[in-house]
């Protein structure tokens, strides 16, 4: 796909990449010969343990990301989270929601007070989405909505928002493959580059998104990454996301994410095409499935 085509991708299509949480495949060429490895299980051990960080063993870097982000066991013990999520395009249009997740079962609930982009932009009444046990439901102004298009969009957003909040813990989910690509210096900082992808047989899809993570070897966190979007004809990892974290209850929460789309010359503007900001993050609220209904 040419860069002249890339610049026509809308902010919504940037969001659509996060279907990649369950469908990833290709990546940039590797600069070394490290063999691709597969994660067989995320580390959810209740016991705290030291995680090594060895560029000769990419699996150790994937584990280190989760550990540096607070650790699976610590996150699991916090049980749930609530936060305010603002998804804003460069033109000022935005979706604003109260997000609630229960980690056990991956329940995902959102109440939209503003929805000008991806969630029923024609209306201004409150919209609630819920994803629970593989089923999605939606209401607007207290009335359930059952049309297929609305439910499909909600199903996508509920899983995407959950994955995005949990990304540093889920990059090692079963079926994940990865390679170490060496180091690259960005703004004077040397980063370790890791590809993250999923086996097509695990996703059931022919075209899967690809990611190149830039891992800070000091903090062990993902400061930025590039990704592809095959579903929209973007087969190269040219879309860029930058991430900033806030430590809350011992968890490094990705509270600020900024997406950049290259122009026809492959250049990135100083200002992001899209910003995703999470505020008022509160863990361990005692939510049950009864609190996550439409």
């Amino acid at each position: 796909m040419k860069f002249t085509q890339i610049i026509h991708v809308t902010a919504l299509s940037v969001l659509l990449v996060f279907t990649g949480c369950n469908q990833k495949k290709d990546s940039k060429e590797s600069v070394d010969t490290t063999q691709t490895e597969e994660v067989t299980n995320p580390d959810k051990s209740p016991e705290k343990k030291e995680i090594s960080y060895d560029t000769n063993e990419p699996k150790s870097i994937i584990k280190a990301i989760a550990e540096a982000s607070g650790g699976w066991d610590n996150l699991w013990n916090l049980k749930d989270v609530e936060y305010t999520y603002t998804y804003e395009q460069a033109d000022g249009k935005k979706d604003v929601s109260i997000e609630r997740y229960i980690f056990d079962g991956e329940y995902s609930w959102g109440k939209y007070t503003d929805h000008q982009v991806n969630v029923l932009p024609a209306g201004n009444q409150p919209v609630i989405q819920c994803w629970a046990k593989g089923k999605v439901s939606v209401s607007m102004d207290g009335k359930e909505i059952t049309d297929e298009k609305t439910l499909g969009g909600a199903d996508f957003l509920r899983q995407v928002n959950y994955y995005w909040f949990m990304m540093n813990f889920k990059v090692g989910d079963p079926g994940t493959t990865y390679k170490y690509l060496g180091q690259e210096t960005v703004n004077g900082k040397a980063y370790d580059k890791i590809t993250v992808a999923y086996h097509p047989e695990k996703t059931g899809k022919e075209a899967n998104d690809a990611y190149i993570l830039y891992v800070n070897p000091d903090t062990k966190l993902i400061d930025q990454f590039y990704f592809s979007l095959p579903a929209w004809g973007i087969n190269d990892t040219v879309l860029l996301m930058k991430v900033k974290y806030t430590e809350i209850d011992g968890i490094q929460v990705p509270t600020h994410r900024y997406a950049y789309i290259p122009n026809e010359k492959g250049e990135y503007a100083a200002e992001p095409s899209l910003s995703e900001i999470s505020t008022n993050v509160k863990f361990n609220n005692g939510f049950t499935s009864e609190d996550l209904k439409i």
Side-chain angles (χ1 to χ4, degrees), residues 143-155:
K143 299 179 181 178
E144 186 173 3
I145 297 176
T146 58
D147 75 89
E148 188 173 322
K149 182 177 180 180
T150 299
L151 291 176
D155 182 82

Side-chain angles (χ1 to χ4, degrees), residues 249-268:
D249 290 344
I251 303 299
Q252 295 293 338
V253 179
T255 52
H256 297 72
R257 299 190 297 269
Y258 303 97
Y260 297 79
I261 302 175
N263 62 20
E264 66 277 6
K265 297 180 180 180
E267 302 167 335
Y268 298 87

Side-chain angles (χ1 to χ4, degrees), residues 44-281:
K44 293 186 182 179
S45 171
E47 297 182 1
K48 182 75 173 179
K49 59 182 180 181
E50 294 296 326
I51 300 295
S52 65
Y53 184 96
D54 185 352
T55 57
N56 293 314
E57 298 181 9
K59 183 176 182 178
S60 73
I61 298 179
I62 297 299
K63 288 186 174 182
I65 292 169
E67 189 66 23
S69 298
W72 253 117
D73 53 337
N74 294 329
L75 180 68
W76 194 258
N77 289 335
L78 289 173
K79 301 181 188 301
D80 61 49
V81 68
E82 177 182 272
Y83 65 97
T84 300
Y85 178 48
T86 302
Y87 173 100
E88 185 170 4
Q89 297 181 156
D91 62 7
K93 291 184 178 180
K94 59 186 178 182
D95 291 338
V96 180
S97 60
I98 301 297
E99 298 282 321
R100 292 178 179 175
Y101 312 143
I102 298 175
F103 305 139
D104 188 0
E106 300 194 347
Y107 288 80
S108 176
W109 179 96
K111 180 178 181 179
Y112 290 84
T113 54
D114 295 87
H115 44 94
Q116 303 168 344
V117 185
N118 300 314
V119 182
L120 295 170
N124 55 17
Q125 299 94 338
V127 173
I128 297 178
Q129 301 174 339
C130 178
W131 192 92
K133 298 182 179 180
K135 182 179 180 180
V136 68
S137 55
V138 181
S139 70
M140 176 180 249
D141 200 24
K143 299 179 181 178
E144 186 173 3
I145 297 176
T146 58
D147 75 89
E148 188 173 322
K149 182 177 180 180
T150 299
L151 291 176
D155 182 82
F156 168 75
L157 285 171
R158 286 301 94 217
Q159 296 186 67
V160 161
N161 288 4
Y162 182 91
Y163 176 81
W164 201 231
F165 186 87
M166 301 282 286
M167 180 177 176
N168 285 11
F169 298 94
K170 292 182 70 63
V171 289
D173 271 359
T176 308
T177 63
Y178 39 80
K179 285 184 180 180
Y180 179 63
L181 301 185
Q183 283 197 334
E184 181 177 329
T185 299
V186 179
N187 296 327
K189 177 65 181 179
Y191 287 93
D192 289 316
K193 298 194 298 182
I194 303 289
T195 62
V196 175
Y198 276 74
H199 285 304
E201 58 267 27
K202 297 286 186 179
T203 67
K205 297 179 180 295
E206 294 182 4
N208 294 281
D209 304 337
Y211 294 77
I212 297 180
L213 311 180
Y214 282 60
V215 183
N216 186 322
D218 297 324
T219 65
K220 312 299 188 294
L221 298 175
I222 303 166
D223 286 356
Q224 69 173 42
F225 59 88
Y226 289 89
F227 52 90
S228 66
L229 187 54
W232 286 75
I234 304 175
N235 297 310
D236 296 323
T237 47
V238 295
L239 302 176
L240 171 63
M241 186 72 79
K242 297 183 178 181
V243 187
K244 293 184 178 181
Y245 300 87
T246 303
E247 183 173 342
I248 301 170
D249 290 344
I251 303 299
Q252 295 293 338
V253 179
T255 52
H256 297 72
R257 299 190 297 269
Y258 303 97
Y260 297 79
I261 302 175
N263 62 20
E264 66 277 6
K265 297 180 180 180
E267 302 167 335
Y268 298 87
E271 297 300 319
S273 305
L274 176 71
S275 63
E276 302 174 32
I277 310 299
S278 300
T279 58
N280 303 318
V281 181

